[in-house]
């Protein structure tokens, strides 16, 4: 699993790493010794975004390094730009120069995240360059955030053979033990006797049985409930996915992985709130007792659901978990799920689409997302589409026909189970298809850092 993502000691001997914008290069060179200026000009360094240059001292060792920071237009097309520079630098410890605290915070976090590698099954080339935490940056907070993100990535990257419902439960248990949280688990047939019929129905065909994981932490402050979709592998059930669509289904527990990463951040930072994490952990498998198209299930809150496609199973397990969470009427309830392909078509893999009715929550989240370089995009709980999820033969349809507004109708379905709680839903992808600075190809958290930053405003902490 991922190694610790930490800063170098503050008293470490560090190479100065000057971050230079393109239009500031000439001015910076004027402040430098003639030898340094001549070297930089001879090397053709222009300050282009992502470029690096090592400058030797009189003894031949590295005296300083330069990292090109481009201009505003270039930087708008990405984030965590210095993480790319870090990968190009030789082994050593570096100290950033020339960034204001806000930019230094983003780039320092990106540097940490750029050190992530998933080495459970094969050794990976370790990152060579370490960073001293820049002055004015909350280093401890960034290390906690990086650890939470690494947990999310590790969980998603682990294949289903080693990350089934039992393994996901074990990961939750380890996190609970680390932070002194309480955890209860309802498994197998007990899901029926304790009224979680849809979690049971979705997961009953798998050899590794279904379960509901319920973790609680904190005894003062407002109540926050996080609900994460824990479908450890999704075959599609009897509506079997084609092979090409099944290849990435180890990531279908990305919602659970993301809320667990966020939960680590909350608990490690000691936020003054009462946290509850609900994870329905199942595998949507195929066997003689699998649930079927045409079945009608009765959810925990009494609503009936017609099954028109067994591949729309995530909303079913989330519904029972949301209904449980709603019974306590928390101050805020958030669900996170790799729920629909429609959301990916709408906004691609880099944005975390979310749904919320409360304008105060929206304002807090949007501002926070911009501050911490964790982009989100609001989609609408469009009430006129409610009729699309009402089949007539039952209260709700789990897979409306027609192909329109697939992410919206899924969100509307989930809202029916959120009760009177303030509610937000994230329809995330949880996967980075192409390597980018601080985000290697593979599992990735989405929206967690934005939520963490927004929680003080959302819950008046």
């Amino acid at each position: 699993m991922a190694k610790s993502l930490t800063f170098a000691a503050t008293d470490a001997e560090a190479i100065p790493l000057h971050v230079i914008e393109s239009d500031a290069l000439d001015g910076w060179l004027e402040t430098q010794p003639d030898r340094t200026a001549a070297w930089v000009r001879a090397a053709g360094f222009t300050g282009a975004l992502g470029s690096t240059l090592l400058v030797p001292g009189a003894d031949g060792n590295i005296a300083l390094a330069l990292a090109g920071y481009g201009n505003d237009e270039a930087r708008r097309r990405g984030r965590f730009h210095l993480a790319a520079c870090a990968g190009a630098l030789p082994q050593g410890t570096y100290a950033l120069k020339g960034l204001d605290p806000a930019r230094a915070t983003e780039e320092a976090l990106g540097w940490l995240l750029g050190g992530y590698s998933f080495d459970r099954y094969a050794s990976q080339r370790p990152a060579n360059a370490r960073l001293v935490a820049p002055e004015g940056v909350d280093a401890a907070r960034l290390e906690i955030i990086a650890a939470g993100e690494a947990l999310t990535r590790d969980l998603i990257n682990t294949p289903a053979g080693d990350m089934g419902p039992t393994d996901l439960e074990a990961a939750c248990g380890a996190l609970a033990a680390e932070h002194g949280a309480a955890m209860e688990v309802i498994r197998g047939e007990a899901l029926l006797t304790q009224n979680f019929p849809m979690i049971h129905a979705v997961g009953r065909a798998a050899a590794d049985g279904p379960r509901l994981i319920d973790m609680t932490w904190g005894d003062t402050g407002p109540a926050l409930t996080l609900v994460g979709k824990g479908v450890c592998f999704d075959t599609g059930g009897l509506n079997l996915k084609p092979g090409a669509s099944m290849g990435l289904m180890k990531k279908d527990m990305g919602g659970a992985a993301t809320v667990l990463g966020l939960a680590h951040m909350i608990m490690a930072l000691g936020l003054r709130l009462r946290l509850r994490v609900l994870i329905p952990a199942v595998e949507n498998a195929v066997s003689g007792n699998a649930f079927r198209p045409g079945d009608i299930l009765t959810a925990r809150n009494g609503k009936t659901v017609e099954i028109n496609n067994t591949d729309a199973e995530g909303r079913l397990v989330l519904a029972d978990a949301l209904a449980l969470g709603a019974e306590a009427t928390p101050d805020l309830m958030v669900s996170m799920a790799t729920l629909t392909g429609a959301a990916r078509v709408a906004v691609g893999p880099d944005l975390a689409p979310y749904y919320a009715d409360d304008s105060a929550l929206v304002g807090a989240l949007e501002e926070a997302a911009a501050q911490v370089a964790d982009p989100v995009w609001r989609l609408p709980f469009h009430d006129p589409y409610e009729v699309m999820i009402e089949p007539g033969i039952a209260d709700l349809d789990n897979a409306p026909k027609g192909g329109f507004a697939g992410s919206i109708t899924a969100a509307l379905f989930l809202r029916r189970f959120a009760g009177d709680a303030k509610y937000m839903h994230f329809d995330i992808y949880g996967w980075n298809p192409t390597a980018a600075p601080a985000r290697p190809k593979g599992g990735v958290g989405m929206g967690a850092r934005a939520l963490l930053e927004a929680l003080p405003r959302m819950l008046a902490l």
Side-chain angles (χ1 to χ4, degrees), residues 322-376:
L322 285 169
L324 173 64
E327 290 166 11
T329 317
D331 296 285
L332 176 63
M333 186 157 59
V334 180
S335 60
M336 304 194 83
T338 53
L339 203 62
T340 71
R344 309 292 74 74
V345 172
V347 301
D350 199 42
L351 288 166
Y354 76 97
Y355 295 82
D357 284 323
D358 188 291
S359 59
L361 297 180
V362 170
L365 182 69
E366 298 279 351
E367 181 178 338
Q371 290 173 348
V372 300
D374 190 14
V376 300

Side-chain angles (χ1 to χ4, degrees), residues 75-399:
R75 288 192 299 273
R76 277 198 297 271
R77 301 184 69 174
R79 49 193 160 125
F80 301 129
H81 302 290
L82 292 188
C85 295
L89 292 170
Q91 183 172 356
T93 300
Y94 296 83
L96 293 181
K97 306 292 182 181
L99 287 181
D100 60 64
R103 284 185 176 177
T105 295
E106 176 186 335
E107 299 297 356
L109 176 61
W111 194 296
L112 292 183
L113 294 178
Y116 173 86
S117 62
F118 184 66
D119 58 6
R120 177 166 177 170
Y121 303 99
S123 61
Q124 305 292 330
R125 185 174 67 86
N128 292 316
R130 297 200 69 202
L131 184 70
V132 174
E135 186 176 349
V137 165
D138 188 339
R141 179 182 175 89
L142 292 188
E143 288 177 345
I144 287 169
I145 291 171
E149 171 64 16
L151 172 62
T152 294
R153 293 180 183 184
D154 279 348
L155 293 172
I156 296 173
N157 285 329
T158 303
D162 292 321
M163 190 51 63
T166 298
D167 304 294
L168 184 54
E169 177 187 333
C172 293
L175 185 64
E178 178 182 353
H179 295 291
M183 192 173 93
E184 297 181 359
V185 183
I186 303 169
R187 305 178 188 86
E189 295 305 304
L191 290 166
L192 291 178
T193 59
Q194 298 190 45
N195 193 24
F196 298 98
M198 294 209 294
I199 297 174
H200 180 271
V202 171
R204 71 191 182 206
D208 194 356
R211 64 208 65 202
L212 175 67
I213 302 163
D214 188 347
M215 182 193 306
T216 54
W217 174 87
D219 53 13
T220 60
L224 170 66
T225 296
L226 304 177
V227 183
K229 175 186 171 184
V231 178
C232 295
F233 194 82
D234 181 19
T235 67
L238 292 176
N239 291 114
L240 195 68
K241 292 178 182 287
S245 299
M246 216 181 293
L248 271 183
M249 283 301 100
K250 69 176 185 178
K251 79 170 186 68
D252 212 21
M253 39 66 70
T258 303
V259 301
L260 288 174
L262 176 56
H264 169 78
M265 299 174 199
I266 289 169
M267 293 187 287
L269 290 169
L271 298 190
R272 191 189 63 82
L273 53 79
R274 290 172 289 137
L275 175 66
R276 187 179 196 184
V277 177
L278 297 172
I279 295 176
V282 302
E283 180 178 350
N284 187 21
V286 178
S287 73
N289 67 336
F291 75 121
R292 298 161 294 262
D295 283 354
I296 294 180
L297 306 178
T298 301
R300 178 177 178 84
N301 67 355
K303 294 187 183 298
T304 55
V305 180
E306 182 181 14
I307 306 303
N308 279 311
N309 192 318
T310 62
D311 197 19
E313 84 299 330
R315 66 201 70 185
L316 302 177
V317 298
L318 287 171
D320 271 354
L322 285 169
L324 173 64
E327 290 166 11
T329 317
D331 296 285
L332 176 63
M333 186 157 59
V334 180
S335 60
M336 304 194 83
T338 53
L339 203 62
T340 71
R344 309 292 74 74
V345 172
V347 301
D350 199 42
L351 288 166
Y354 76 97
Y355 295 82
D357 284 323
D358 188 291
S359 59
L361 297 180
V362 170
L365 182 69
E366 298 279 351
E367 181 178 338
Q371 290 173 348
V372 300
D374 190 14
V376 300
W377 196 265
R378 187 186 183 189
L379 295 177
F381 276 128
H382 189 54
D383 291 335
Y385 290 167
E386 290 277 5
V387 66
M388 296 169 65
I389 60 172
E390 296 170 346
I393 192 174
D395 295 321
L396 293 168
D397 182 341
N398 85 316

